[in-house]
Amino acid sequence: MEVFEDDAISGSEMHRPGLDKLLQAVTDPEVKFVVAWDRNRLARPKDAVDGLLLERQMQKAGKRVVYAATGQEAGRSFTSDLVGLVEHHQTATTCAS
């Protein structure tokens, strides 16, 4: 297990050293899951679509993206995708305020 973090860097910045290392790590076929506490711990994008695209990028690499706080798994159903859009939108709206 490896932990990726970006101390003192805004989650709205979609190019951060820790996030970039995570995205590199998901190319490893031995990595099966990405677990984050919540969507806003992975990213706080200014545009909700960017958050969904980040999840999609990891899924396309064959990884399951799971959020521990809610038990949600990205991309598992229409409902999880809808919840993802709403949560990313809430974060984007909060960051823009």
Side-chain angles (χ1 to χ4, degrees), residues 19-97:
L19 181 59
D20 291 343
K21 284 176 66 177
L22 169 63
L23 294 175
Q24 180 62 39
V26 299
T27 64
D28 182 339
E30 292 192 23
V31 173
K32 304 295 182 209
F33 292 89
V34 172
V35 179
W37 179 250
D38 207 348
R39 279 185 167 90
N40 68 9
R41 299 289 89 199
L42 187 60
R44 293 182 190 142
K46 294 174 185 166
D47 183 334
V49 173
D50 291 337
L52 293 175
L53 290 173
L54 177 62
E55 290 176 357
R56 182 62 147 178
Q57 182 177 352
M58 292 183 280
Q59 291 168 329
K60 281 188 170 190
K63 309 312 173 222
R64 295 174 67 181
V65 182
V66 179
Y67 298 101
T70 61
Q72 286 286 324
E73 183 173 342
R76 296 302 283 184
S77 66
F78 173 75
T79 303
S80 70
D81 288 342
L82 184 58
V83 168
L85 180 62
V86 169
E87 288 179 351
H88 284 302
H89 179 71
Q90 287 174 329
T91 300
T93 302
T94 302
C95 289
S97 299

